[in-house]
Every structure is written in structure tokens, then in C-alpha cells.
């Protein structure tokens, strides 16, 4: 039995991330990270990117540091990349098995966190289905502990946002004049929210959110973006097309949600539809992908697809973030 806990969501998550000297101590959201800091993190991550097949970059910058991965929701990419990132930087990495953790026996999340803190875990990487969990934990840990949000309900997935920004910069070399179309289940997508926040801060020319009406965000949630329900209009001349997974685990009822065939017919990204986008447009997907639903399978494996590059960049971005926060907590 896992106790259902309520996590108050405050409005100061963005400020809570910074230590007294202004350095990044937690990463809870991309809100509040200014352009200079985003660019710094992307530059840091770039140092860890190597071509496929080349030796990976390793250093000992996290030697003596302990990182715990606490994934209370399923993950392949984020969890594996935080694990590899910590090990490549010389950290001790603990992957807590949540199925056999005491939270299943009714232990509160804070008691789990205090237990790990007593074991001198320095950085806790947290994924949870409830909104507010990473910030709630960050408010309660000691000064020498850092919390990294690895996916929070439909709210935020900041390291995914950073790896998406890095991939776009590598392929396009700039942000200023880009038209980016994010397509699919925007309403339930933490990936879309973090990407949108980062792209807005970096000053892209136009952000389009394309979805069926039932999967659209509130009209006033992202005032800097334009909402579309017609895919073909949304894709026209886009430089970057980001397909999203349908978040079935977060969709309460199916009323108004298209069936699979109808979804692909109206919102699936195919090679034919990509002809509407800019001639050198790239197609992205955060994974896990539902081939033939959100994206045509052959398009996902085509030269226009940067999906494996996104995955590779995930390790580099998480190395950069781990290094950054480890310096902040070492100073504390
Ligand atoms: N993109 C992403 O968060 O994938 P995982 O759920 O596999 O971590």
C-alpha cells in the first residue's frame, strides 16, 4: 500500500532552485532560468557529447558524491541516462527499486528522503506522478542536498527540455528565427511545457501548439504560443516538429479523445505531412514512441529524425546538470 500524499504546489519553485549566492542548486523547472544560464548549461553539455562509437567523456568531478535515482513512475531514457551520467562523472549511484522500497509499505515520501539523506546521499533525482513533489522535497532537505526533477506529473521535465534545446541548437545552429511546432497531447505533457518554457526564453520566432481540442492546453497557459487544431496549418514552414506521446496514464476519461486510427489520420506526423514543413525541417520525439500513432514508423528512422540524437544528448545534459549542482552544494 502506498499512502496517497498531497503535495502543496507553491509559486516559488523557480526561485527555490537557486542558492543564496545565485548558483543553481536544484533543477525543478526551466522557469526562472534566464537565457545566459540556459546557454551556459547547453555549452557545458556540449563538452560531454561525442560521436556515436567514439569513447565517452569521463571525469572525476563527482568523486565522493552520491546520487540516488528515485523513480516513482516508469522510465527508460531519463533513469538510464542519469545513472550513466553519474557514473561517468565518478559518483556513487544508487538506483532505488521503488517496487521494494518502504514507500510501498506506507512510508511517507519525506521519511524516504530523510532516510537517504542520513545515508549521505548528496543529489536526489526524482520522478513522480504527483504535481509538486520535487519542490516539496527541495523545501525539506538539508542545505548540502540537491533535488533534480526527472519528470513531474504533467508539469515539468526540465532535463528533457534542455536536451531538446541542445538537439535543436546542434541541428539548426540558432534559435532566433525558428518556427517550432509541438504536436499532440499538449494538455498532459510535461515535455511540451518544459520545451515551451526553454524555447520562449531563448527567443524563437514562433511556437505553435497543435492538438485535438480535447488535448489542448488552457488558452491562457502559454500566452507566447499559438494554438492550432489543424495539423497541416500548424506544420506549414515549421523548422522543428516535435511529436508527443499520448499520455494515456494521465487522461481521465476518453470523451473527445480520438481513437488510434483517427488520431494518426488527423495528428500523426508522416513523411508526406513533413513536406509542408521547411525543406530542412527536423522531427523530434521525446520517447517512448508509439509508432504508427504519433509518428509514422519510417519517418522516425529517416534522416529528418533526430530522436536518437535526443537520447544521446540526454546523457550529456544530465552530466552538465549534475556537475553544476554538485558545485553549488559543495560550496554550501
Ligand atoms: N522522455 C522520457 O522522459 O522518457 P522516459 O520516460 O523513458 O524517461
Amino acid at each position: 500500500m502506498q499512502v496517497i500524499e498531497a503535495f502543496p504546489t507553491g509559486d516559488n519553485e523557480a526561485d527555490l532552485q537557486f542558492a543564496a549566492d545565485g548558483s543553481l542548486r536544484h533543477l525543478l523547472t526551466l522557469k526562472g532560468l534566464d537565457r545566459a544560464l540556459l546557454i551556459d548549461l547547453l555549452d557545458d553539455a556540449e563538452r560531454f557529447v561525442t560521436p556515436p562509437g567514439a569513447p565517452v567523456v569521463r571525469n572525476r568531478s563527482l568523486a565522493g558524491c552520491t546520487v540516488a535515482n528515485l523513480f516513482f513512475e516508469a522510465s527508460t531514457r531519463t533513469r538510464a541516462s542519469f545513472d550513466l551520467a553519474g557514473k561517468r562523472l565518478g559518483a556513487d549511484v544508487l538506483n532505488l527499486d521503488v517496487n521494494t522500497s518502504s514507500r510501498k509499505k506506507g512510508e511517507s515520501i519525506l521519511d524516504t528522503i530523510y532516510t537517504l539523506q542520513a545515508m549521505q546521499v548528496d543529489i536526489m533525482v526524482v520522478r513522480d506522478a504527483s504535481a509538486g513533489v520535487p519542490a516539496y522535497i527541495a523545501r525539506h532537505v538539508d542545505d548540502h542536498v540537491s533535488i533534480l526533477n526527472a519528470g513531474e506529473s504533467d508539469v515539468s521535465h526540465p532535463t528533457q527540455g534542455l536536451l531538446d534545446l541542445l538537439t535543436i541548437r546542434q541541428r539548426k545552429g540558432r534559435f532566433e528565427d525558428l518556427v517550432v511546432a509541438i504536436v499532440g497531447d499538449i494538455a498532459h505533457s510535461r515535455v511540451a511545457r518544459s520545451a515551451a518554457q526553454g524555447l520562449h526564453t531563448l527567443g524563437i520566432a514562433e511556437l505553435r501548439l497543435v492538438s485535438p481540442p480535447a488535448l489542448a492546453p488552457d488558452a491562457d497557459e502559454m500566452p507566447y504560443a499559438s494554438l492550432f487544431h489543424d495539423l497541416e496549418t500548424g506544420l506549414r514552414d515549421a523548422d522543428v516538429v516535435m511529436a508527443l506521446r499520448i499520455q494515456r496514464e494521465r487522461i481521465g476519461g476518453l470523451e473527445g479523445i480520438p481513437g488510434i486510427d483517427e488520431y494518426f489520420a488527423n495528428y500523426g506526423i508522416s513523411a508526406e505531412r513533413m513536406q509542408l514543413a521547411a525543406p530542412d525541417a527536423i522531427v523530434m520525439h521525446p520517447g517512448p514512441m508509439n509508432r504508427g500513432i504519433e509518428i509514422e514508423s519510417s519517418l522516425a528512422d529517416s534522416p529528418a529524425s533526430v530522436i536518437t540524437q535526443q537520447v544521446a544528448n540526454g546523457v550529456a545534459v544530465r552530466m552538465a546538470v549534475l556537475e553544476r549542482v554538485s558545485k553549488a552544494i559543495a560550496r554550501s
Side-chain angles (χ1 to χ4, degrees):
M1 177 201 60
Q2 185 168 309
V3 172
I4 304 297
E5 299 169 85
F7 303 101
T9 45
D11 51 12
N12 70 337
E13 279 86 356
D15 298 336
L16 182 65
Q17 306 183 101
F18 296 96
D21 66 0
S23 56
L24 189 71
R25 175 188 157 201
H26 307 293
L27 181 60
L28 308 175
T29 169
L30 293 188
K31 271 189 207 156
L33 272 60
D34 64 16
R35 182 187 166 85
L37 179 50
L38 287 180
I39 297 291
D40 252 17
L41 285 167
L42 300 187
D43 291 346
D44 283 353
E46 202 70 71
R47 293 186 292 118
F48 297 117
V49 176
T50 51
V56 297
V57 177
R58 294 179 193 277
N59 69 38
R60 302 282 300 158
S61 58
L62 262 73
C65 185
T66 303
V67 178
N69 285 326
L70 313 175
F71 280 67
F72 298 106
E73 210 189 32
S75 169
T76 297
R77 280 145 285 270
T78 313
R79 180 176 159 140
S81 57
F82 265 115
D83 188 5
L84 289 172
K87 287 172 178 160
R88 287 176 188 173
L89 296 173
D92 294 329
V93 181
L94 167 70
N95 286 295
L96 192 79
D97 182 350
V98 293
N99 291 313
T100 55
S101 83
S102 289
R103 210 174 160 204
K104 286 268 180 197
K105 294 193 268 183
E107 181 173 76
S108 76
I109 192 157
L110 276 190
D111 282 329
T112 302
I113 296 299
Y114 291 148
T115 298
L116 294 169
Q117 189 171 264
M119 295 178 192
Q120 297 188 307
V121 169
D122 304 287
I123 301 175
M124 302 189 198
V125 179
V126 180
R127 171 172 288 195
D128 203 283
S130 301
V133 168
Y136 176 72
I137 297 171
R139 287 191 188 92
H140 286 86
V141 289
D142 288 344
D143 286 350
H144 53 84
V145 176
S146 166
I147 304 302
L148 303 182
N149 180 349
E152 173 192 1
S153 182
D154 58 9
V155 177
S156 187
H157 194 350
T159 55
Q160 177 73 42
L162 288 171
L163 75 88
D164 289 337
L165 296 176
L166 182 63
T167 308
I168 292 170
R169 189 175 78 167
Q170 288 168 343
R171 286 300 179 117
K172 295 290 164 194
R174 66 202 191 274
F175 291 102
E176 290 72 27
D177 62 346
L178 294 182
V179 176
V180 179
I182 305 181
V183 179
D185 180 5
I186 312 279
H188 302 100
S189 178
R190 56 195 177 206
V191 172
R193 289 187 170 82
S194 287
Q197 285 157 6
L199 290 166
H200 177 57
T201 302
L202 293 175
I204 61 165
E206 189 180 349
L207 177 62
R208 302 174 183 168
L209 304 176
V210 188
S211 68
L215 299 176
D218 288 342
D220 55 359
E221 186 190 335
M222 291 175 256
Y224 47 82
S226 324
L227 304 192
F228 292 74
H229 299 310
D230 178 62
L231 177 61
E232 297 186 355
T233 312
L235 290 183
R236 198 148 287 134
D237 301 321
D239 300 291
V240 176
V241 177
M242 185 186 294
L244 298 174
R245 184 172 72 85
I246 302 175
Q247 307 272 304
R248 293 200 180 277
E249 69 276 27
R250 278 180 249 289
I251 297 175
L254 292 178
E255 199 177 325
I257 310 292
I260 286 174
D261 292 343
E262 188 189 345
Y263 186 89
F264 186 69
N266 292 313
Y267 293 98
I269 308 296
S270 62
E272 189 182 343
R273 285 193 163 130
M274 284 296 288
Q275 301 288 324
L276 295 164
D280 58 350
I282 56 170
V283 63
M284 310 178 74
H285 194 299
M289 250 188 303
N290 293 303
R291 290 173 182 257
I293 301 176
E294 299 129 12
I295 185 165
E296 188 176 47
S297 187
S298 57
L299 177 64
D301 302 323
S302 75
S305 166
V306 296
I307 295 168
T308 53
Q309 190 172 344
Q310 288 174 267
V311 174
N313 283 337
V315 181
V317 155
R318 287 161 183 135
M319 289 172 82
V321 170
L322 285 170
E323 264 200 348
R324 172 79 51 152
V325 298
S326 72
K327 287 178 190 155
I329 54 178
R331 280 195 292 273
S332 79

